[in-house]
Amino acid sequence: RIRGLRGGPRPGRRAAGERWARFVVRRPLAVLLLSVVGLGVLALPALDLRLGMPGEEASSPSSTQYKAYQMVSEGFGPGFNGPLMVVVHGSGDVTKAAAGLSGQLKAMDDVATVTPPVPNQQRDTALLTVVPKSGPSTEQTEKLVSDIRDMSDGLRARTGAEAMVTGQTAIGIDVSAKLSGALAPYLALVVGLAFILLMLVFRSVLVPLKATLGFLLTVAATFGVVVAVFQKGWGASLIGVDSTGPIMSLMPIFLIGVVFGLAMDYQVFLVTRMREEFVHGAAPRDAVVSGFRHGARVVTAAAVIMMAVFAGFIGDDQSMIKLMGFALAAGVFFDAFVVRMTVVPAVMALFGKAAWWLPRPLDRILPDVDVEGEKLRHVLGDGAADTAGSGGGDGAVSSGPREPVTSGSGAHRVPPAGPSGPSSGR
């Protein structure tokens, strides 16, 4: 060792990753329950998750957009920052229909003012501007847009005209609704494909199931802390969040994509070495400790680097950038240090050999990619036995049984060798 350069544990002392793995293996149930309950508690605020498209109110306090938004809100009311455009259209003259609708709109609780209908030259279309009492990103405005659209059926039945709502505020509400509806299918597709791929790699049902459920737990906990800080305002001042409101609609989809890729990388780093040790004959718990010892440094270094990169965006003045940086840093922390480096070894230690169980029908259907090189080891073992049985090529005859070649799936005994000819004849 070069003087002055140090690396790894001190002589006679185990590495930190191995000590942690042995601690988890000795108390797997307690560690698993504590980790899952802790993440579950952090995920509780996610039940109040509300998605939206933040406007000028989410801008930097020093920007002209934010200052203008505040001046309009104070002088005229928050609803003037997000007026709704109501269009009345029909096959004939819609002037009376638009006037009647205007009266109904003025009577609604969350409406501050309604401009007189402005018809076009053909009088088959009229335009009204509705100013809500609440801000453009509030739940009251979302409900108002929905209520106005629900009035269209009654208007069509009475007059034959149709009422439609547009404008920047209504468009933001519609985009948020579309993204919210696409979140569940997107998550199901990503998790489902990952489950199949991990089943191919690890030849197990529990390992991919644990990986996908752990990822869902990571997502839930991350959503929980994001809602707590950016929507409810708990501890928001600690990271410089000036205003709270709905979570940006694009954040969940972006978060799931980025964190899922990193989570599966960490899963493969850790569990591949565990399976390699297991199929090469190690006991289940010893395989967990050995695999964790070799993979913990890689996962730790990768997670710390990604957390540092994402956390750098928290200092930005823009609320949306601050939100993305905080969410990604929290997601990587929960997945790497709680799920992959705590929950994974605890579950593997609890189930033992059952963690690598694969039903026979699936075993026959799924292609065997043999990531750990188990078959290659058997081939090399057979070649070594053939060489020993032939006496190293000196024409010796061997009639005794060969030693079995063992792996994690049991002993594979090679049948006794028959008489072999001279090595020169091979």
Side-chain angles (χ1 to χ4, degrees):
R1 177 180 296 182
I2 300 176
R3 186 180 301 273
L5 296 180
R6 301 179 61 186
R10 296 177 181 177
R13 186 179 181 184
R14 294 190 177 100
E18 182 177 354
R19 295 199 304 271
W20 173 251
R22 291 186 181 277
F23 170 79
V24 173
V25 166
R26 285 195 301 268
R27 305 168 182 84
L29 184 58
V31 171
L32 177 63
L33 291 177
L34 183 62
S35 302
V36 173
V37 171
L39 290 178
V41 171
L42 292 176
L44 288 178
L47 297 175
D48 298 326
L49 174 65
R50 189 167 65 88
L51 300 179
M53 298 295 289
E56 286 79 5
E57 72 276 10
S59 303
S60 172
S62 60
S63 65
T64 57
Q65 299 96 314
Y66 182 83
K67 294 177 181 179
Y69 181 91
Q70 293 298 326
M71 292 176 65
V72 171
S73 298
E74 294 171 1
F76 303 94
F80 279 82
N81 287 293
L84 305 176
M85 313 305 295
V86 179
V87 178
V88 180
H89 178 71
S91 56
D93 191 344
V94 297
T95 305
K96 291 184 179 180
L101 178 63
S102 177
Q104 290 181 281
L105 294 175
K106 290 179 181 179
M108 300 181 74
D109 294 335
D110 195 46
V111 174
T113 183
V114 180
T115 62
V118 179
N120 63 352
Q121 292 182 354
Q122 292 78 19
R123 293 188 174 272
D124 59 355
T125 304
L127 178 65
L128 301 88
T129 300
V130 179
V131 179
K133 293 180 180 178
S134 53
S137 60
T138 60
E139 291 184 80
Q140 293 86 347
T141 301
E142 293 181 14
K143 185 177 184 303
L144 178 61
V145 172
S146 178
D147 292 342
I148 295 175
R149 286 171 173 167
D150 291 341
M151 295 169 62
S152 179
D153 293 336
L155 182 66
R156 185 186 301 109
R158 295 191 309 270
T159 66
E162 182 181 5
M164 297 166 283
V165 185
T166 184
Q168 190 64 39
T169 300
I171 291 174
I173 294 173
D174 293 341
V175 169
S176 298
K178 285 292 185 181
L179 292 176
S180 299
L183 185 59
Y186 169 69
L187 186 60
L189 178 64
V190 170
V191 172
L193 293 177
F195 182 86
I196 297 174
L197 181 60
L198 291 176
M199 189 183 298
L200 287 173
V201 173
F202 295 116
R203 312 296 297 176
S204 166
V205 173
L206 179 67
V207 171
L209 181 63
K210 166 185 56 63
T212 53
L213 291 179
F215 171 71
L216 294 177
L217 193 59
T218 295
V219 171
T222 304
F223 285 174
V225 297
V226 167
V227 170
V229 175
F230 289 87
Q231 185 174 313
K232 296 181 178 294
W234 300 349
S237 60
L238 298 177
I239 59 174
V241 178
D242 299 294
S243 61
T244 59
I247 305 303
M248 184 176 62
S249 303
L250 192 61
M251 189 279 294
I253 293 179
F254 189 77
L255 174 72
I256 289 172
V258 174
V259 175
F260 181 81
L262 296 174
M264 294 304 104
D265 282 347
Y266 303 153
Q267 173 78 12
V268 171
F269 283 149
L270 287 174
V271 183
T272 298
R273 188 57 185 263
M274 294 179 188
R275 173 164 174 79
E276 183 179 356
E277 296 291 335
F278 178 75
V279 300
H280 288 172
R285 293 200 171 191
D286 293 338
V288 172
V289 174
S290 179
F292 193 92
R293 180 178 67 247
H294 289 91
R297 286 190 177 186
V298 176
V299 173
T300 301
V304 169
I305 291 172
M306 296 308 299
M307 287 172 56
V309 172
F310 294 140
F313 294 100
I314 298 178
D316 195 273
D317 292 335
Q318 293 293 327
S319 177
M320 289 184 288
I321 297 178
K322 190 187 296 287
L323 166 66
M324 295 303 302
F326 179 85
L328 291 172
V332 172
F333 174 79
F334 292 145
D335 194 88
F337 294 104
V338 181
V339 173
R340 306 302 156 191
M341 301 184 70
T342 304
V343 173
V344 166
V347 173
M348 301 297 289
L350 277 175
F351 283 86
K353 289 184 178 180
W356 307 109
W357 173 76
L358 183 68
R360 289 185 179 273
L362 283 178
D363 193 19
R364 289 193 297 265
I365 296 173
L366 296 177
D368 190 357
V369 294
D370 194 20
V371 175
E372 295 81 15
E374 181 182 2
K375 293 182 178 180
L376 177 61
R377 185 174 184 272
H378 294 164
V379 172
L380 294 176
D382 292 347
D386 289 340
T387 302
S390 61
D394 58 359
V397 177
S398 173
S399 59
R402 301 172 184 172
E403 291 297 323
V405 179
T406 60
S407 70
S409 58
H412 298 265
R413 186 172 297 276
V414 182
S420 60
S423 59
S424 60
R426 294 188 178 184

